Amino acid sequence: PNVEWAEIAGLSEEHCIACLGGATLTDLTTKSGWEQRIDEIIAQVSNQEMPLGGPYLSDEEITLIRGWKNGGFQ
């Protein structure tokens, strides 16, 4: 799918930044933070290792993340 950063930012806000906000070593509040760690993010959400304790991302949400990566991080 054609996915833009705004969709990923929404997922990040809903599922990630409570634990991985700006004051952490893994900052997922920015587009560049996601780009730098995209393969790790995909692996961890696919294996239901993140978000810690759930609720875990749906297959559709994981597909959006993959689509954003495969589309060149638009």
Side-chain angles (χ1 to χ4, degrees), residues 14-66:
E14 181 178 348
H15 296 284
C16 307
I17 62 172
C19 295
L20 299 170
T24 64
L25 292 175
T26 305
D27 180 6
L28 297 184
T29 62
T30 65
K31 182 179 178 184
S32 65
W34 272 77
E35 289 175 6
Q36 292 171 12
R37 295 169 182 88
I38 192 67
D39 292 324
E40 180 182 353
I41 292 167
I42 291 171
Q44 288 186 349
V45 298
S46 296
N47 293 328
Q48 295 188 334
E49 297 169 6
M50 290 287 174
L52 287 177
Y56 301 113
L57 275 65
S58 68
D59 290 341
E60 180 180 282
E61 291 169 322
I62 295 168
T63 298
L64 282 176
I65 295 169
R66 286 188 174 124

